[in-house]
Amino acid sequence: MDADEFEALVVDELDQLPDDMVEGLDNVIFVVEDRPEDGSLDLLGLYDGLALTERDRYGMGELPDRIIVYREPHLAQCDTVEALRSEVHTTLVHEIAHFYGIDDARLHELGWA
């Protein structure tokens, strides 16, 4: 799957998320990249920012937080488009949860890690 098709899939999965999950996202952008900086295929996504629970004074002029979805690791782990959609969905939920301050241990308990 090429980069444009994958990005369209990510946008479609983002549109499928519940409104109450995405409405609270403030100053967050979603980015699709081929691989993490280290070139590995292990990391599917990354929240690059400061969680709501850790913000003190946050306001005008702040660079947006980023939620990054990595294309090649997803493609390496998924054999079908259905599996890919499911994994992208899980990655989006996982990284959005980090925005809200939910850590990996709690995400694991909830089945999103």
Side-chain angles (χ1 to χ4, degrees):
M1 179 176 288
D2 70 24
D4 290 336
E5 292 171 320
F6 184 79
E7 186 169 334
L9 184 145
V10 170
V11 169
D12 187 49
E13 287 305 311
L14 185 57
D15 288 343
Q16 301 299 316
L17 295 175
D19 290 341
D20 58 346
M21 181 182 292
V22 294
E23 285 175 352
L25 297 175
D26 181 35
N27 202 27
V28 177
I29 61 171
F30 290 83
V31 179
V32 173
E33 294 182 1
D34 283 337
R35 286 186 184 207
E37 288 182 17
D38 67 2
S40 75
L41 292 175
D42 297 330
L43 187 63
L44 297 174
L46 178 70
Y47 171 66
D48 179 24
L50 192 60
L52 284 180
T53 55
E54 298 175 7
R55 293 180 183 181
D56 183 24
R57 291 183 18 224
Y58 185 84
M60 301 289 287
E62 298 288 335
L63 290 175
D65 293 355
R66 298 183 317 148
I67 291 177
I68 306 167
V69 179
Y70 297 112
R71 181 176 69 93
E72 291 177 5
H74 275 90
L75 295 177
Q77 292 187 22
C78 301
D79 294 334
T80 65
V81 173
E82 293 79 21
L84 181 60
R85 284 188 173 280
S86 178
E87 195 61 54
V88 166
H89 182 91
T90 299
T91 299
L92 289 170
V93 170
H94 183 104
E95 301 311 331
I96 289 170
H98 286 319
F99 169 83
Y100 289 113
I102 301 170
D103 65 15
D104 283 334
R106 181 67 178 134
L107 285 168
H108 185 73
E109 290 172 10
L110 296 170
W112 292 103

